[in-house]
Amino acid sequence: MANDGTDTTEFLMQYARLSRGAKFRYVNGVGLYTAPQLARAAGFDHGFTARSGGVSIGGFSSLNLSFTRPENRDNVMENYRIFCRAAEIPFDGMVMDNYEHGTTVRRVDRADAGRGYLRDPLPLCDGLVTNDPAVTLITGHADCMAFFVVDPVRRCIGLAHAGWRGALGRIGARVVGMLTEEFGTNPADVLAAVGPSICPDCFEVGQNVAKEFADAFPEIPCVLERAGARPHVDLWMVAFRQLLEAGVLAERVSLFDVCTMETPRLYSHRRDHGNTGGMAAYLRILP
Ligand SMILES: [Zn+2]
């Protein structure tokens, strides 16, 4: 794209008009967020968990869904059972990411059901795609973004975990690209949403990280300079940008617009100084 300022202006108008907002509800004590625009796609189910309704205690209280925290594995398994009952997800059919803050996206299907909790984990990957209604894609989060991608035409889906490194590496665009490669998705058909994560006001970074974003996304003002403070990065803007670059239409993207750090019912790695649990994003094709 030409960097004569026109593109930037148009982009900022699109970003200002972006569909924002999430619906929150409790099901049997388990808090679940959904994105209204994504929920309108018939035949799919998605959501993002909150802290309540589980069996974990202390900093993990109570629905910790992360196996990478120093917590009793049985508690996390029980939390997954509780979560699956609340969200009406078949317990045996989940496939979990095995994140490394990279940009690898893997295609999975029913042969991978149980990986990451009942069986060996997948090889390292931050993103998953499938067209198999027998599996539920799961990614883990505690400030990092979730990219939810649904193609209602080819009936396939993608879900990714994206911290700042993944966002910088454009894993959101990579998910869309994988859907095209594997299932013939036209990016213009796609609905995409970005899950609860650390917001632009809270995501303070060092100069080196700020420079990486400025270099990787030179056409957009994703680095926010604050007088007398460290720079901030608008990861939501970066997410939106890479989805547009991948061919997704602006009006088909939405933001949950929920900040993990400012929302007590959510875990936040940064706010809780690492003494915290993990939340799950989930996405599946209904059978
Ligand atoms: Zn915030």
Side-chain angles (χ1 to χ4, degrees), residues 198-202 259 261-262:
I198 192 164
C199 84
D201 286 333
C202 293
C259 175
M261 204 163 153
E262 295 176 73

Side-chain angles (χ1 to χ4, degrees), residues 177-207:
M178 272 289 279
L179 291 177
T180 300
E181 286 167 30
E182 297 291 335
F183 310 116
T185 289
N186 175 355
D189 293 332
V190 154
L191 284 164
V194 178
S197 43
I198 192 164
C199 84
D201 286 333
C202 293
F203 190 47
E204 194 179 286
V205 299
Q207 293 295 344

Side-chain angles (χ1 to χ4, degrees), residues 83-166:
F83 153 65
C84 285
R85 278 196 296 272
E88 297 180 36
I89 290 170
F91 178 76
D92 296 338
M94 294 185 284
V95 182
M96 297 181 182
D97 72 333
N98 185 10
Y99 72 89
E100 54 166 351
H101 294 285
T103 56
T104 301
V105 179
R106 295 192 188 281
R107 176 178 175 166
V108 298
D109 59 27
R110 64 194 63 198
D112 300 300
R115 296 200 65 176
Y117 63 111
L118 296 175
R119 302 163 48 198
D120 55 318
L122 289 169
L124 291 173
C125 61
D126 284 58
L128 305 166
V129 296
T130 191
N131 65 349
D132 190 343
V135 298
T136 299
L137 307 182
I138 301 281
T139 53
H141 304 267
D143 281 339
C144 295
M145 295 189 290
F147 281 97
F148 295 84
V149 183
V150 167
D151 176 357
V153 176
R154 298 280 180 172
R155 301 204 60 76
C156 53
I157 54 175
L159 182 66
H161 158 271
W164 69 263
R165 289 184 188 82

Side-chain angles (χ1 to χ4, degrees), residues 30-269:
V30 173
L32 298 173
Y33 283 95
T34 49
Q37 192 190 58
L38 211 55
R40 285 201 289 273
F44 301 89
D45 187 33
H46 79 281
F48 191 93
T49 64
R51 297 181 68 141
S52 59
V55 299
S56 302
I57 57 171
F60 308 122
S61 177
S62 64
L63 193 75
N64 173 33
L65 295 175
S66 171
F67 288 109
T68 65
R69 303 294 192 275
E71 204 204 356
N72 182 338
R73 194 179 167 84
D74 293 342
N75 284 353
V76 184
M77 286 295 269
E78 181 59 21
N79 287 340
Y80 268 104
R81 286 191 193 89
I82 292 167
F83 153 65
C84 285
R85 278 196 296 272
E88 297 180 36
I89 290 170
F91 178 76
D92 296 338
M94 294 185 284
V95 182
M96 297 181 182
D97 72 333
N98 185 10
Y99 72 89
E100 54 166 351
H101 294 285
T103 56
T104 301
V105 179
R106 295 192 188 281
R107 176 178 175 166
V108 298
D109 59 27
R110 64 194 63 198
D112 300 300
R115 296 200 65 176
Y117 63 111
L118 296 175
R119 302 163 48 198
D120 55 318
L122 289 169
L124 291 173
C125 61
D126 284 58
L128 305 166
V129 296
T130 191
N131 65 349
D132 190 343
V135 298
T136 299
L137 307 182
I138 301 281
T139 53
H141 304 267
D143 281 339
C144 295
M145 295 189 290
F147 281 97
F148 295 84
V149 183
V150 167
D151 176 357
V153 176
R154 298 280 180 172
R155 301 204 60 76
C156 53
I157 54 175
L159 182 66
H161 158 271
W164 69 263
R165 289 184 188 82
L168 186 70
R170 290 176 161 81
I171 191 173
R174 180 73 196 125
V175 171
V176 178
M178 272 289 279
L179 291 177
T180 300
E181 286 167 30
E182 297 291 335
F183 310 116
T185 289
N186 175 355
D189 293 332
V190 154
L191 284 164
V194 178
S197 43
I198 192 164
C199 84
D201 286 333
C202 293
F203 190 47
E204 194 179 286
V205 299
Q207 293 295 344
N208 290 348
V209 172
K211 185 175 186 312
E212 286 195 66
F213 278 94
D215 290 347
F217 294 89
E219 301 92 353
I220 62 170
C222 60
V223 176
L224 315 169
E225 298 293 348
R226 298 285 166 90
R230 297 170 80 201
H232 289 58
V233 170
D234 186 344
L235 291 175
W236 295 346
M237 182 188 286
V238 167
F240 181 48
R241 178 65 172 191
Q242 63 193 266
L243 290 168
L244 297 192
E245 287 174 352
V248 181
L249 303 178
E251 64 271 21
R252 294 175 74 81
V253 179
S254 65
L255 282 184
F256 281 62
D257 202 25
V258 172
C259 175
T260 44
M261 204 163 153
E262 295 176 73
T263 308
R265 67 162 75 108
L266 297 177
Y267 298 110
S268 168
H269 185 77

